[in-house]
């Protein structure tokens, strides 16, 4: 506390930093809920309409409910990089996927399969495999702090801009 740094260079220029206050917090206790899911992605476009992709995924869902393995169908039909792993997307933190995918995935219980979902990537069929609580790593905590600071600055700049417009 009270120490002044040597000049530090960043993308914005040179800085001299002074520590005004330090707070100790237990960062190991920040827990988040991670979800492990898999999906089948059909890319929509000229060759496959959204309606046709939705119908095809409904057929796959019926097959899964009839006992067919989700991973086998994903390996056979999914059109993305996760196909070789049976559609497994690994453990995901909140906010990792596009909002519509995240929302649909959040409504599912482990083992449950979604209805077909359309996103900017195409049509998805999602299955949540499991959920767990996990601590945020130091890197993830820093990224979260950066994101919150960025949002705060954007809000301040927006407010100042609105005030300037009103003036």
């Amino acid at each position: 506390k009270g120490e002044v740094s040597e000049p530090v260079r960043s993308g914005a220029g040179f800085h001299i930093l002074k520590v005004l206050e330090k707070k100790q917090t237990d960062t190991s206790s920040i827990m988040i809920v991670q979800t492990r899911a898999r999906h089948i992605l059909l890319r929509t476009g000229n060759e496959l309409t959204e309606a046709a992709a939705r119908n095809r995924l409904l057929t796959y869902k019926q097959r899964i409910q009839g006992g067919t393995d989700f991973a086998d169908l994903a390996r056979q039909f999914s059109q993305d990089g996760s196909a070789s792993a049976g559609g497994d997307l690994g453990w995901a933190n909140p906010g990792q996927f596009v909002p519509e995918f995240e929302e649909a995935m959040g409504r599912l219980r482990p083992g449950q399969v979604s209805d077909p979902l359309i996103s900017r990537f195409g049509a998805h069929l999602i299955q949540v495999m499991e959920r767990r609580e996990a601590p945020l790593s130091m890197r993830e905590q820093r990224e979260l702090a950066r994101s919150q600071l960025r949002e705060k600055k954007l809000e301040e700049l927006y407010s100042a801009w609105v005030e300037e417009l009103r003036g």
Side-chain angles (χ1 to χ4, degrees):
K1 185 173 176 179
E3 285 186 34
V4 177
S5 73
E6 295 293 318
V8 178
R9 185 178 189 162
S10 79
F14 290 93
H15 310 271
I16 295 179
L17 307 172
K18 180 178 181 179
V19 177
L20 300 176
E21 185 179 345
K22 270 185 149 179
K23 290 183 184 178
Q24 292 288 56
T25 58
D26 182 14
T27 57
S28 64
S29 65
I30 300 174
M31 302 292 281
I32 58 165
V33 175
Q34 293 180 324
T35 303
R36 185 168 172 221
R38 54 188 172 188
H39 77 145
I40 297 171
L41 172 69
L42 300 179
R43 298 196 188 278
T44 56
N46 296 336
E47 295 177 23
L48 184 65
T49 65
E50 286 183 4
R54 194 181 301 267
N55 288 336
R56 196 177 297 175
L57 289 175
L58 279 172
T59 304
Y60 298 160
K61 182 177 181 179
Q62 289 171 348
R63 288 176 61 185
I64 292 163
Q65 290 170 336
T68 303
D69 185 37
F70 190 105
D72 290 340
L73 289 176
R75 279 186 206 92
Q76 209 173 349
F77 300 110
S78 190
Q79 300 171 338
D80 79 326
S82 70
S84 61
D88 192 345
L89 299 169
W91 287 103
N93 292 336
Q96 190 170 324
F97 300 117
V98 293
E100 54 271 28
F101 189 98
E102 192 90 22
E103 186 180 317
M105 184 177 70
R107 288 192 304 259
L108 298 172
R109 294 181 309 280
Q112 193 175 12
V113 178
S114 73
D115 288 328
L117 158 79
I118 305 296
S119 79
R120 66 180 134 199
F121 299 107
H124 307 262
L125 194 63
I126 307 166
Q127 181 183 44
V128 169
M129 297 162 68
E130 54 188 317
R131 286 201 169 87
R132 70 179 182 193
E133 280 199 8
L136 276 177
S137 70
M138 288 303 291
R139 187 179 137 271
E140 291 167 330
Q141 289 178 39
R142 278 193 298 275
E143 190 55 42
L144 180 62
R146 279 189 189 104
S147 174
Q148 289 173 340
L149 285 171
R150 195 176 309 113
E151 285 183 34
K152 183 180 177 190
K153 284 190 173 218
L154 282 171
E155 186 62 38
E156 289 171 357
L157 287 169
Y158 177 75
S159 295
W161 177 70
V162 168
E163 284 299 314
E164 186 179 318
L165 282 177
R166 286 184 184 147

